[in-house]
Amino acid sequence: MISWLDVYHVFSATVPLYVAMILGYLSAKHLNIFSLEQCAGINKFVAKFSVPLLSFQVISQNNPFKMSPRLILSDILQKIFAFVVLAVVLRFWHPTEGRGGKLGWIITGLSVSMLPNTLILGIPILSAIDGDAAVNILVQIVVLQSLIWYNILLFLFEINAARKITSSGASIEHRGNDNEEADIEQEPKEEVAIVRTRSPGTGKILLKAWQKLIINPNTYAALFGLVWATLHFRLGWKLPEMIGKSVHMISDGGLGMAMFSLGLFMASQSSIIACGTKMAIITMVLKFVIGPALMVASAFSIRLRSTLFRVTVLQAALPQGIVPFVFAKEYNVNPEIASTGVIFGMIISLPITLAYYFPLLLCFSRLLPSQLLQETIMGKGPGLYTEIGKKARDLLYKDYQGDQKLSITTYSSTGVAITTSGTNKGDLFLGDVVTQIKNKNFTADIKVASDSSILTTFTYDEATPGLKAIISAKVPDQKSAKVELQYLHPHAGICTSVGLTANPVVNFSGVIGTSVLALGTDVSFDTESGNFKHFNTGVSFTKDDLIASLTLNDKGEKLTASYYHIVNPLKNTVVGAEVSHNLKSQVNSITVGTQHALDPLTTVKARVNNAGIANALIQHEWRPKSFITISGEVDSKAIEKSAKVGFALALKP
């Protein structure tokens, strides 16, 4: 469990970072203490001295002979997962906005989701949670970022520039922004565009990337830090006192200066969301959902445990690093998206990290292996995205109806189940017959409806532990065929489906967490139109006798909060509520409801909403698995109207 002392330590480490950033923002934006030239000078000092020396100090204290092979493999695997996911998405999605082509979008996606600001933000925040253990882990990640990932990213930018040369015969290079952790230049005159023709050969690409690297002080700092750490931990060498104190004097202020510089950068921008609302939402999902989710998948694959698992996932939820933005600005590859990732991500990421990932991962990564095994066997976990808020929805909406419905289920001697259903909706009668065949883990369902449609579904459960595969198609709808995969883990639930058409609709929902706290998202993308059909995200908290959830639906337009509370478990007495607010129309809707068991076989339910509609029902299990339900609805604002009465009878042997 998380104590108040843990929370205090985290805020003690977080608040000073915000103070430095806010002071920088106010100094340039409102107090006018610094001019643009002075801001550029501060940024240069941070980029050329403070951050490189801070990087050197941190890396030189890391023992390279004790670096975790599993951590390195997990970090590499996360990047591979991200590259594959982005490549697959861009295979079907062809964005019209942005610059750099498909490779440019892959580079942007990798920059946003895979390269967090570990050095400046990760170490002070996560060290407050896990102390020196977190610092040792994060330093290894900083080494990987500085010596491997930033260099690969730079190489990809050069390849992308060469591809553009091939099609245009000319290239535009930008001079004045080097590869620094906080090199955010604000003088337009230093952004000189030079147009020239050059060959896009691999040798020239490598040479160009090398020229960028050798003038980058962070590259030297990381390399020298690693070399000195090797000498120190292998041969016992120590820095001369004068050099050590000189490094400490500047690097100790590097963190505050870097945050102050971020505030100056925020003040220099005309808009926090420079790339538009739609792209900003996609950017935030990449940063705070996809990135950590891929790290979770990678960590599980490599079997990271305890503190190692918790810290690696938490650092994946940190704000976007500055270096990818500097590269994007220099090569003109979607810089507005990278800018939004830095600024807006900085504003919202720390609360998200602390409010969701910290308690979530702190809770389940401390489980012992035996507890993990027990949860796997018992099937506990966050479940699928559809289960967020499901208890409250079932209480408030399930079994209420104003029609007459009858369903009868029979079983043959071979185990085939046949369910016949009919619903009378005024002058319209709808019916269907469902035949279900089961053989071990395989299930086939064939549904014939009164509209002459036939829905066929094949389900194979437990193909591997936790995995379910589903194939379905509806005749005569030629676009209805799809394949779906569901995966349940004690700490994750994933569901993805793809239509079996030339331009399919792709659906993805993912949840990470425990049976106590879960965070998830649900996305549907139409590859034919290139638009999102829906985008939802939600969080759920379950504790003993209550369940609370918060969801953002309809592409960010509808905010819904629900509450489910068991008052008396012996009598199955439950109360619940759902409150929705439409951010676009500013319309609110409120529904409250309750249920109570009169006896073990009879339950009554009631609900009312702010529109004045009141409903009630009574349900009786007159024989095992056979229910009779009578429900009614009254409009309190139109009492003169007749009440609606519904009746349902379900018969099973």
Side-chain angles (χ1 to χ4, degrees):
M1 296 297 293
I2 301 172
S3 67
W4 287 108
L5 184 60
D6 294 327
V7 177
Y8 173 76
H9 286 160
V10 173
F11 274 91
S12 296
T14 305
V15 171
L17 300 176
Y18 274 107
V19 170
M21 182 181 70
I22 293 172
L23 285 176
Y25 177 81
L26 293 176
S27 298
K29 190 74 172 181
H30 298 289
L31 302 179
N32 297 321
I33 296 177
F34 301 109
S35 64
L36 290 178
E37 291 77 11
Q38 290 170 332
C39 289
I42 294 174
N43 288 332
K44 271 192 174 295
F45 177 80
V46 171
K48 303 294 185 181
F49 297 104
S50 293
V51 172
L53 288 176
L54 175 62
S55 178
F56 172 83
Q57 179 185 346
V58 169
I59 295 175
S60 64
Q61 295 174 353
N62 170 63
N63 189 342
F65 303 103
K66 292 185 178 180
M67 293 184 68
S68 171
R70 287 191 173 186
L71 173 62
I72 297 173
L73 289 175
S74 178
D75 194 55
I76 294 174
L77 190 59
Q78 183 210 23
K79 273 62 175 180
I80 294 174
F81 284 165
F83 187 88
V84 172
V85 169
L86 290 169
V88 171
V89 170
L90 290 172
R91 171 65 178 83
F92 300 103
W93 180 36
H94 307 287
T96 56
E97 65 271 24
R99 294 179 289 275
K102 286 188 176 181
L103 180 57
W105 281 106
I106 291 177
I107 294 172
T108 301
L110 292 174
S111 301
V112 170
S113 61
M114 298 293 109
L115 297 172
N117 203 336
T118 307
L119 176 64
I120 296 176
L121 294 174
I123 291 178
I125 294 176
L126 299 187
S127 63
I129 300 174
D130 287 300
D132 292 339
V135 175
N136 292 334
I137 295 170
L138 294 175
V139 168
Q140 297 178 52
I141 295 176
V142 170
V143 172
L144 295 175
Q145 285 183 345
S146 301
L147 297 181
I148 299 177
W149 302 125
Y150 289 157
N151 298 335
I152 292 178
L153 187 66
L154 181 60
F155 183 66
L156 290 176
F157 272 111
E158 282 294 328
I159 291 178
N160 189 65
R163 287 165 61 95
K164 289 192 290 185
I165 296 170
T166 303
S167 59
S168 64
S171 67
I172 298 179
E173 296 178 1
H174 294 271
R175 190 171 64 228
N177 276 331
D178 300 325
N179 169 17
E180 291 103 10
E181 182 71 25
D183 187 11
I184 306 165
E185 301 297 335
Q186 298 167 337
E187 294 183 273
K189 64 182 180 180
E190 293 191 4
E191 295 290 329
V192 182
I194 305 173
V195 181
R196 67 181 183 185
T197 302
R198 69 180 184 185
S199 170
T202 303
K204 288 189 175 292
I205 295 174
L206 291 173
L207 178 60
K208 188 63 179 179
W210 172 251
Q211 291 173 346
K212 297 284 186 181
L213 292 176
I214 61 175
I215 62 173
N216 173 23
N218 276 321
T219 301
Y220 290 111
L223 184 59
F224 290 161
L226 185 61
V227 170
W228 184 255
T230 302
L231 297 174
H232 172 69
F233 288 100
R234 175 63 71 183
L235 303 177
W237 291 11
K238 294 183 179 180
L239 278 176
E241 186 176 0
M242 290 184 295
I243 297 178
K245 288 185 177 181
S246 299
V247 171
H248 275 280
M249 181 177 294
I250 300 178
S251 64
D252 287 348
L255 181 59
M257 289 295 296
M259 295 303 298
F260 189 86
S261 180
L262 272 176
L264 296 178
F265 169 64
M266 292 173 60
S268 70
Q269 303 302 299
S270 59
S271 175
I272 293 179
I273 305 178
C275 61
T277 304
K278 176 183 175 181
M279 195 56 65
I281 292 175
I282 297 175
T283 302
M284 294 303 103
V285 171
L286 277 173
K287 175 65 259 175
F288 300 117
V289 179
I290 304 300
L294 292 177
M295 180 55 81
V296 168
S298 172
F300 275 128
S301 301
I302 306 301
R303 297 185 179 180
L304 300 185
R305 291 288 184 267
S306 189
T307 303
L308 188 59
F309 179 90
R310 180 168 61 252
V311 173
T312 54
V313 178
L314 283 175
Q315 65 85 30
L318 291 169
Q320 177 189 334
I322 303 298
V323 171
F325 163 72
V326 175
F327 284 165
K329 186 177 179 182
E330 180 176 0
Y331 287 89
N332 197 28
V333 178
N334 304 319
E336 64 282 350
I337 296 177
S339 172
T340 301
V342 172
I343 301 178
F344 192 61
M346 182 63 199
I347 294 174
I348 71 170
S349 65
L350 292 180
I352 289 178
T353 303
L354 299 175
Y356 296 128
Y357 290 99
F358 168 52
L360 167 67
L361 299 173
L362 185 63
C363 192
F364 71 73
S365 63
R366 284 180 174 171
L367 292 174
L368 298 175
S370 60
Q371 292 174 292
L372 286 172
L373 179 60
Q374 182 181 8
E375 287 207 353
T376 302
I377 295 174
M378 297 179 64
K380 294 181 180 179
L384 300 176
Y385 183 83
T386 54
E387 296 180 33
I388 294 181
K390 184 177 184 298
K391 284 286 188 179
R393 291 195 301 271
D394 287 348
L395 172 66
L396 297 174
Y397 304 108
K398 187 178 179 181
D399 295 325
Y400 289 104
Q401 61 178 18
D403 308 313
Q404 293 75 48
K405 183 177 181 180
L406 173 65
S407 66
I408 302 175
T409 301
T410 59
Y411 294 91
S412 68
S413 58
T414 58
V416 177
I418 301 176
T419 301
T420 304
S421 301
T423 302
N424 183 27
K425 294 179 174 290
D427 297 332
L428 181 65
F429 182 82
L430 303 176
D432 59 67
V433 178
V434 178
T435 301
Q436 184 180 82
I437 304 172
K438 285 188 175 182
N439 183 12
K440 296 181 180 179
N441 294 345
F442 177 80
T443 303
D445 293 275
I446 302 175
K447 178 180 179 180
V448 181
S450 56
D451 61 355
S452 300
S453 65
I454 301 176
L455 174 62
T456 304
T457 305
F458 299 101
T459 304
Y460 187 68
D461 201 3
E462 294 296 319
T464 60
L467 181 65
K468 179 187 291 186
I470 304 171
I471 299 178
S472 62
K474 187 176 183 180
V475 179
D477 186 356
Q478 298 180 354
K479 296 184 178 181
S480 63
K482 68 176 182 179
V483 59
E484 178 178 344
L485 294 176
Q486 297 178 4
Y487 177 71
L488 293 176
H489 187 276
H491 307 303
I494 298 174
C495 179
T496 182
S497 66
V498 179
L500 302 178
T501 61
N503 298 295
V505 174
V506 180
N507 299 283
F508 172 83
S509 65
V511 180
I512 60 173
T514 66
S515 56
V516 176
L517 184 64
L519 173 68
T521 187
D522 178 29
V523 180
S524 179
F525 184 76
D526 189 344
T527 60
E528 183 174 9
S529 63
N531 296 319
F532 286 96
K533 297 186 65 176
H534 68 252
F535 171 76
N536 308 318
T537 186
V539 60
S540 175
F541 176 77
T542 304
K543 182 65 175 178
D544 297 332
D545 56 355
L546 65 88
I547 303 174
S549 68
L550 181 68
T551 58
L552 186 63
N553 303 319
D554 298 339
K555 301 179 183 179
E557 292 186 0
K558 185 177 181 182
L559 185 66
T560 301
S562 66
Y563 179 77
Y564 178 92
H565 184 205
I566 302 175
V567 179
N568 187 341
L570 297 178
K571 290 291 187 179
N572 196 23
T573 304
V574 180
V575 296
E578 182 182 82
V579 179
S580 296
H581 174 70
N582 192 301
L583 301 175
K584 186 176 182 180
S585 64
Q586 300 298 311
V587 175
N588 299 321
S589 63
I590 304 173
T591 304
V592 296
T594 184
Q595 77 174 27
H596 176 73
L598 301 177
D599 58 54
L601 301 177
T602 308
T603 300
V604 293
K605 294 174 64 175
R607 74 178 184 195
V608 64
N609 61 27
N610 62 330
I613 306 297
N615 301 76
L617 69 80
I618 181 170
Q619 186 177 78
H620 178 69
E621 187 177 7
W622 60 284
R623 59 178 297 175
K625 300 181 181 180
S626 296
F627 296 88
I628 180 172
T629 306
I630 301 175
S631 60
E633 178 181 296
V634 176
D635 187 348
S636 62
K637 296 182 180 180
I639 299 297
E640 68 281 0
K641 293 183 179 181
S642 300
K644 296 180 180 179
V645 179
F647 175 83
L649 179 62
L651 303 176
K652 288 187 177 182

